Amino acid sequence: MGGRSNDRRDSGKPGEDRRTGGKPGQDRRGAGKPSGSRGDSGKGRPARSGDWKRPEDKQAARTQEQALYDGPDLPEEITGQELDRSIGAQLKGLPEKLANRIARHMVAAGQLVDEDPETAYQHALAARVRAPRLAVVREAAGEAAYAAGHYAEALAELRAAKRMNGATAYLPIMADCHRALKQPEMALKLAKSPSVVNFAPEAKAEMTLVESGARRDMGQLDAALRTLELAPLTSKSRAPWVTRLRYAYADTLEAAGRDTDALMWFHRTHAVDSDEMTDAAQRAEILEKKLGV
C-alpha cells in the first residue's frame, strides 16, 4: 500500500470513534487527597462509577482486543517477503518474528484493499497494534481505513504518520476524509498547503479533484469549475488522472446547467478512458438525447 488517493465521489463510479487520549471516567471533584485514599482510613478508596465491570464484560473486552490483535487469518502463501523492500527495511529494527507477522498482515492488506477493503483494514489494524510507532504501519492503516470508508479513523492514522515522518503525500486523502466527514472548509485548507505546489502531476490532480469537490459540497459551482480549469485538462497524457479530471469537469459543467459544454467534455473524457473507468460514454449519450443531437 502507499500513496493511494482516490476521490470516490468524482471518479465516475459509485463509490467518532476517535481515540481522544486521556483517561475516561476520571473523578476530579474535591481538592487534595480524595476521600477514602490510603492514609485516610486504611480501607482504600471507595468504588467509583465505572470501576467495576461484570466478569462477562471484561471477558468480552478482552476477546475483542485479542481479535483485533490476531487479525484475520493469514493465507499460508503470504510469507511477508512480498512486501516492498523499502517498506520492509523500516521493520528491520523489530524482532524478526514480530516483523514477519507485521509484514504478512501488511501484504494481505495491500492485496485485499480493492476487493475486500474491510478485511484489508482489519489486517492493517493487526499490524498497527503490534507497531503503533512506525509511520509506515500507521500509513497502511490509514489507507486501508480510507478504502473501507472509515474516514475519521483514516484521518487520525494519517495524521499520526505525518507527525512521525513529515511526509505530505497523504494530504489528498486527508482532505478527502474531511469532505466525507462534512468538513469541506478543512479540505480546502489542506488543498492550499504550500507543499501541494511541488506535488507530482498525479498527486496534484488528486488534490484538485478534492478541492473542486469541496467547493461543490459548499454549493460553489463556479469556484469548483475555476479550480478544475486551472488543471491540465487538455494534457495529451492518457493517464487515469487526466481521465478523472476531465470527467469531474464534465460532471460539474452539467451540474451548472452547461449541458452543451458538458457533452463535449464527456466525449473528451471517453476519448482517453481506454480502461472504461468512468461512465462518460453513457453520460454523453444521455445528454445527446436531452439536447436532441
Side-chain angles (χ1 to χ4, degrees), residues 222-254:
D222 288 343
L225 286 170
R226 285 196 298 272
T227 298
L228 290 164
E229 286 163 356
L230 292 173
L233 292 168
T234 59
S235 170
K236 296 185 183 299
S237 171
R238 301 178 73 89
W241 61 266
V242 176
T243 302
R244 297 178 63 237
L245 279 175
R246 291 186 180 190
Y247 185 92
Y249 187 51
D251 185 62
T252 307
L253 285 167
E254 184 177 11

Side-chain angles (χ1 to χ4, degrees), residues 4-79:
R4 293 176 58 86
S5 176
N6 294 304
D7 180 355
R8 297 172 185 272
R9 287 168 293 279
D10 293 321
S11 66
K13 292 203 174 183
E16 165 136 282
D17 175 23
R18 276 307 344 122
R19 302 168 187 78
T20 57
K23 296 179 181 179
Q26 287 178 322
D27 184 354
R28 301 189 181 278
R29 290 170 294 176
K33 193 184 298 179
S35 174
S37 64
R38 296 186 184 277
D40 231 357
S41 64
K43 297 180 181 179
R45 65 172 177 78
R48 294 181 287 187
S49 174
D51 283 350
W52 182 84
K53 288 185 179 180
R54 293 177 299 177
E56 56 267 33
D57 290 339
K58 292 182 179 179
Q59 178 63 26
R62 190 201 69 78
T63 302
Q64 291 172 356
E65 290 174 2
Q66 187 62 46
L68 178 66
Y69 185 83
D70 291 342
D73 292 338
L74 283 162
E76 291 184 5
E77 62 271 18
I78 293 180
T79 66

Side-chain angles (χ1 to χ4, degrees), residues 81 85-96 99-100 134 136:
Q81 298 302 312
R85 186 172 300 178
S86 64
I87 296 176
Q90 298 179 56
L91 306 180
K92 291 295 185 183
L94 300 174
E96 184 177 353
N100 179 254
L134 287 183
V136 68

